[in-house]
Amino acid sequence: MEDIITTMAAQLGQVLVVLGAGLAVGIAGSGSACGIGIANETAAGILTEDPKKFVYALILLALPGTQGIYGFLIALLAINKIGLLSTAVPITIWQGLGIFGACVPIAIVGFYSAIWQGKSSAASILLISKRPDQMGKAVILPAMCETYAVLGLLMSIFLLNGIKVG
Amino acid sequence: MSRREYYRYAVARIRAMEHLLLDAGVIQRLLDASDLAEALKVLGETCYARSLAENVVHERYDAALEAELLSSIMELRAFVPDKELVDLFRIQYDFHNVKVILKSSFLAKRGGKKRWELMTSLGTIPTDSLIVSVESEDYSLLPYGLPSLIPAALSIWEQTGDIVEVEKLLDAGLFAAMLKVAEGFDEPGVLKWVKARIDSENFRNLLRLKRFGMSAQKAAAFLHSGGTVSVDTLVQLFSEPFESWGRALFHFEVGGAVSKALDERGFDRQIAALEKALDDYCRDAVSLARYSQDALENVLAYLWGKEMEVKNIRIALVSKGASTGRDETRRMLRNGY
């Protein structure tokens, strides 16, 4: 029994890192899928009547996809930090908890910002359906939501860099 | 998922369909046309081309305009998640058809002709089915309270022979049915539009009845409850001179439309201005929804816009046929979508 507890305690740090990486990819990715889905519904409506707007719509509906990429990037950095992609580095529970915490900003901010960016992109798709000449402004408006996803990404990177392992 | 989330595709498609609505330039060209044939030629260059080609015979364009409106309604009905929302717009045509059938049967009893040609295909109930139901007195499958309204209307006619009483009953039934359907959506915007329609009808009736010198008590029977302005307020207003209506309605949204119309001189101009202002009032009731990507009211706003477009074309074409002055015609035109 004691052996089991000792083994668990030794591996709990790594488990926390894997959990954090999973959440970063899973939650931020879900937000992106949701956001793209919202924009997609609007794009499909416009394209039914005016298929020539496909390129404009594609650019706008791709915007909420970045949060999923950010989540994936943080997950890679997290598991790479403990050597899961090469040689595993032993870490303490506290180090594992720290890396888990570093994954949280991009998971949460990525999820919500992607959904709202999707709604914003949908509104911009409606904008370009009437005024295709306003494409620049139509991209800038949903890009404002991106700011907070980038802040979440940066904070996750800074926190990951701040945790010393090995 | 909320009801609104299902409307993103529909609203986006409606936005794209808005491009096909006629702009002010086309209406201006219709007004500038030298005669009806030239006006129809102008219309033939727009999205009405197909309806005109299939329906216009000897410059009779009504069927073409109806076919175009019906095609827009059916197109919307194909992709809007709640078919009842499109049908809410069509209930008025069902009641119009019922009135035509009943009046025709009253006429026939007095040796007159049945006027089926006045029926419209825009209603939710196919005209043939409606005629068969009414003539065979089998109302059980009819919607919108018609199974009880039609026998009541027939009974009123048999007892009083007064067609106005029959109209009053059916109008009350129409607005009660519209309110019931709108309440089923649990969307304030949809209900607001129906209330605006009731307000419009009430103020049209009020202005006409006042000019006829009818008493407030009698006029109350022509007013419908369920609007933003209560029947009691309208009856009180009825005894007041026109000049004070604007002040009395200051707190109501419809007040602006009524005040604007009553500023005109002469009854004919006031009535024409009121008709236009009340149509604008109904449009404004759902106009804010155009900033939303998932509001149900967008469906009503588009259908209302299409109906106003058809109304404008009809006004322009009739004025060409009747050689009405351009300025006079322009004054009658409704504001666009």
Side-chain angles (χ1 to χ4, degrees):
Chain A
M1 187 66 186
E2 206 171 293
D3 286 349
I4 294 171
I5 292 171
T6 311
T7 311
M8 275 178 69
Q11 292 180 348
L12 192 57
Q14 286 183 333
V15 170
L16 284 169
V17 172
V18 170
L19 195 63
L23 286 179
V25 175
I27 296 182
S30 300
S32 279
C34 218
I36 290 176
I38 290 168
N40 243 335
E41 285 177 286
T42 303
I46 296 293
L47 295 176
T48 307
E49 297 294 324
D50 189 359
K52 287 180 194 159
K53 301 258 163 57
F54 176 70
V55 177
Y56 294 128
L58 185 67
I59 293 168
L60 287 164
L61 71 84
L63 288 177
T66 51
Q67 283 83 342
I69 298 170
Y70 298 161
F72 179 69
L73 178 68
I74 290 301
L76 270 183
L77 289 175
I79 57 175
N80 189 46
K81 197 164 185 75
I82 60 164
L84 284 188
L85 297 176
S86 50
T87 313
V89 180
I91 56 165
T92 65
I93 294 173
W94 296 110
Q95 284 170 328
L97 198 60
I99 294 174
F100 175 85
C103 293
V104 169
I106 192 59
I108 294 176
V109 179
F111 180 76
Y112 285 106
S113 69
I115 291 174
W116 284 100
Q117 194 170 31
K119 291 180 180 181
S120 191
S121 289
S124 285
I125 291 169
L126 292 180
L127 191 159
I128 54 118
S129 79
K130 282 226 158 186
R131 292 170 173 263
D133 54 314
Q134 299 296 319
M135 185 60 189
K137 288 170 192 163
V139 172
I140 289 170
L141 295 177
M144 300 305 284
C145 297
E146 191 75 17
T147 311
Y148 301 95
V150 171
L151 292 180
L153 171 72
L154 289 176
M155 185 46 69
S156 288
I157 291 174
F158 290 149
L159 289 173
L160 277 177
N161 284 340
I163 299 162
K164 303 291 175 213
V165 175
Chain B
M1 268 174 91
S2 76
R3 186 192 289 271
R4 281 182 166 233
E5 286 175 47
Y6 291 103
Y7 273 79
R8 289 194 194 114
Y9 170 82
V11 171
R13 196 162 163 186
I14 287 170
R15 284 287 169 280
M17 284 168 70
E18 286 170 5
H19 292 295
L20 294 176
L21 290 174
L22 303 188
D23 58 20
V26 177
I27 300 293
Q28 183 60 45
R29 283 178 66 203
L30 284 177
L31 292 178
D32 291 340
S34 57
D35 55 18
L36 183 58
E38 194 186 322
L40 287 172
K41 204 172 158 189
V42 170
L43 205 56
E45 294 165 11
T46 66
C47 61
Y48 285 78
R50 192 171 160 190
S51 302
L52 286 170
E54 288 171 0
N55 295 286
V56 171
V57 184
H58 302 305
E59 298 191 343
R60 292 181 65 183
Y61 45 81
D62 267 335
L65 298 182
E66 186 178 314
E68 177 62 27
L69 187 54
L70 181 64
S71 129
S72 293
I73 288 173
M74 298 319 285
E75 189 175 355
L76 241 66
R77 204 172 185 280
F79 66 81
V80 167
D82 297 297
K83 311 295 173 212
E84 298 81 12
L85 187 60
V86 179
D87 290 347
L88 173 64
F89 185 82
R90 304 169 76 194
I91 300 175
Q92 55 182 331
Y93 301 114
D94 285 326
F95 276 76
H96 164 83
N97 285 340
V98 169
K99 283 180 190 175
V100 172
I101 296 173
L102 290 181
K103 284 177 187 174
S104 286
S105 70
F106 301 155
L107 263 177
K109 281 178 189 168
R110 292 181 174 179
K113 255 181 69 183
K114 289 184 176 176
R115 303 290 305 275
W116 300 149
E117 75 278 7
L118 295 177
M119 292 178 76
T120 170
S121 55
L122 299 172
T124 61
I125 313 164
T127 50
D128 292 343
S129 314
L130 194 58
I131 293 170
V132 169
S133 295
V134 176
E135 295 211 321
S136 62
E137 297 184 11
D138 179 12
Y139 318 118
S140 56
L141 294 176
L142 296 177
Y144 312 128
L146 288 171
S148 59
L149 280 169
I150 296 175
L154 290 169
S155 162
I156 288 175
W157 173 254
E158 278 163 19
Q159 286 168 22
T160 64
D162 188 350
I163 195 69
V164 177
E165 289 297 320
V166 173
E167 289 240 11
K168 266 161 52 181
L169 178 81
L170 290 173
D171 284 343
L174 163 66
F175 291 119
M178 286 176 77
L179 273 175
K180 194 175 170 189
V181 174
E183 280 163 359
F185 286 104
D186 199 21
E187 281 283 337
V190 175
L191 196 58
K192 189 180 175 189
W193 182 76
V194 173
K195 282 174 178 282
R197 296 292 308 271
I198 296 172
D199 283 337
S200 299
E201 184 66 14
N202 281 342
F203 277 99
R204 271 189 200 103
N205 287 343
L206 212 60
L207 192 66
R208 289 199 176 99
L209 295 172
K210 191 162 172 68
R211 296 301 298 196
F212 292 153
M214 194 176 270
S215 71
Q217 203 181 358
K218 276 188 179 174
F222 288 86
L223 303 173
H224 308 287
S225 57
T228 59
V229 186
S230 71
V231 172
D232 289 342
T233 309
L234 292 169
V235 171
Q236 280 174 16
L237 202 65
F238 196 78
S239 320
E240 304 282 332
F242 279 152
E243 294 73 31
S244 63
W245 282 23
R247 205 174 55 243
L249 293 169
F250 182 72
H251 296 292
F252 296 99
E253 278 184 51
V254 71
V258 175
S259 304
K260 204 166 88 181
L262 295 179
D263 284 344
E264 293 284 336
R265 283 175 169 245
F267 180 62
D268 288 342
R269 281 197 165 197
Q270 279 177 338
I271 277 285
L274 186 74
E275 293 277 355
K276 188 174 173 174
L278 289 174
D279 281 345
D280 286 349
Y281 167 62
C282 289
R283 179 201 60 180
D284 294 343
V286 283
S287 61
L288 275 182
R290 293 176 61 195
Y291 297 106
S292 164
Q293 52 188 309
D294 55 10
L296 276 68
E297 301 94 286
N298 278 295
V299 176
L300 296 172
Y302 178 81
L303 286 171
W304 186 254
K306 189 73 187 175
E307 188 169 87
M308 288 305 108
E309 177 185 281
V310 168
K311 197 178 250 186
N312 280 342
I313 293 170
R314 192 174 280 124
I315 290 170
L317 295 180
V318 167
S319 76
K320 285 296 141 203
S323 304
T324 313
R326 199 179 303 169
D327 290 339
E328 200 177 331
T329 309
R330 192 175 285 117
R331 247 201 314 275
M332 286 188 280
L333 293 178
R334 279 16 179 198
N335 288 317
Y337 178 58

